Amino acid sequence: MGASNHRTWRIERARSIAAAAGLPGYEVLQYHRSYLPSRVDLPVELDPDGDVGWVGPDLASYLRAEPQLTLVAYSPLLKGAYARPERLGAEYDLPSTPARLAALHAVAAETGATVNQVVLAWLMGGDVPAIPLVGFSSVAQLEESLAAVDLELTPEQRASLDTAR
Ligand SMILES: NC(=O)c1ccc[n+]([C@@H]2O[C@H](COP(=O)([O-])OP(=O)(O)OC[C@H]3O[C@@H](n4cnc5c(N)ncnc54)[C@H](OP(=O)(O)O)[C@@H]3O)[C@@H](O)[C@H]2O)c1
């Protein structure tokens, strides 16, 4: 069993134990999710075997099948890297990254929103909806992120973001 499948199995096991005991189970999961996919094979500070904090295919499909669970997505703005691409780390060095960044910028230009706002709207309105847990270091950054709540992507814009790879 891969490390990420093992993670889904442990969540399911904890929920089963809680249900059998008549206790509340997990209702909210906090994991790393953003628009750009991340490599999960690189060692990170807490996970020498690779990043198990990222919402990969296993967890995304689990959340899709269990809509009563709420996903809180931490570091959705990749610590400011959408606005400052020089901050993009090696974990985003994937073949799909240039196409996804191009789609993101195209939708931002079309909507008049910032790339950060498009990322947040994409996360909130996706088929695996997430509550973004954003960070900010100025009131302007906070206001920019909050305004993403009012940005509704059209089905065409969402499709262009989803299919870019
Ligand atoms: N559960 C976990 O394991 C876990 C792990 C990581 C984080 N978290 C939590 O998640 C929350 C957010 O984490 P994060 O700070 O990594 O989130 P993030 O939203 O990905 O990054 C926030 C940073 O992005 C930059 N930024 C924000 N708005 C911007 C804008 N409009 N333009 C340009 N740059 C912008 C700022 O950096 P500058 O200051 O450089 O401008 C800001 O500090 C925190 O509360 C943290 O505790 C949880």
Side-chain angles (χ1 to χ4, degrees), residues 34 49 54 65 67-68 78 91 93 123 129 136 150 156:
S34 187
D49 299 320
W54 182 258
Q68 70 276 27
L78 307 184
E91 63 273 37
D93 187 9
L123 280 169
F136 55 90
D150 297 322
E156 293 75 22

Side-chain angles (χ1 to χ4, degrees), residues 28-162:
V28 179
L29 302 179
Q30 189 182 136
Y31 283 97
H32 188 193
R33 184 159 169 84
S34 187
Y35 173 61
L36 283 187
S38 169
R39 286 179 60 178
V40 293
D41 58 318
L42 300 175
V44 292
E45 196 180 353
L46 296 177
D47 302 313
D49 299 320
D51 187 0
V52 294
W54 182 258
V55 177
D58 65 317
L59 195 49
S61 59
Y62 179 70
L63 288 162
R64 200 174 286 114
E66 302 286 336
Q68 70 276 27
L69 287 173
T70 298
L71 172 65
V72 171
Y74 69 74
S75 300
L77 301 180
L78 307 184
K79 301 186 187 301
Y82 290 108
R84 304 183 191 90
E86 68 278 7
R87 288 190 181 181
L88 270 186
E91 63 273 37
Y92 302 102
D93 187 9
L94 284 166
S96 60
T97 294
R100 288 186 75 89
L101 287 177
L104 186 61
H105 282 270
V107 171
E110 196 177 308
T111 56
T114 67
V115 284
N116 287 329
Q117 290 169 334
V118 175
V119 169
L120 297 176
W122 181 84
L123 280 169
M124 290 185 282
D127 67 335
V128 179
I131 299 172
L133 180 55
V134 292
F136 55 90
S137 49
S138 69
V139 172
Q141 288 182 352
L142 172 61
E143 286 176 345
E144 180 183 333
S145 289
L146 287 176
V149 171
D150 297 322
L151 174 62
E152 202 159 321
L153 301 174
T154 65
E156 293 75 22
Q157 289 162 347
R158 185 165 289 282
S160 78
L161 291 166
D162 287 346

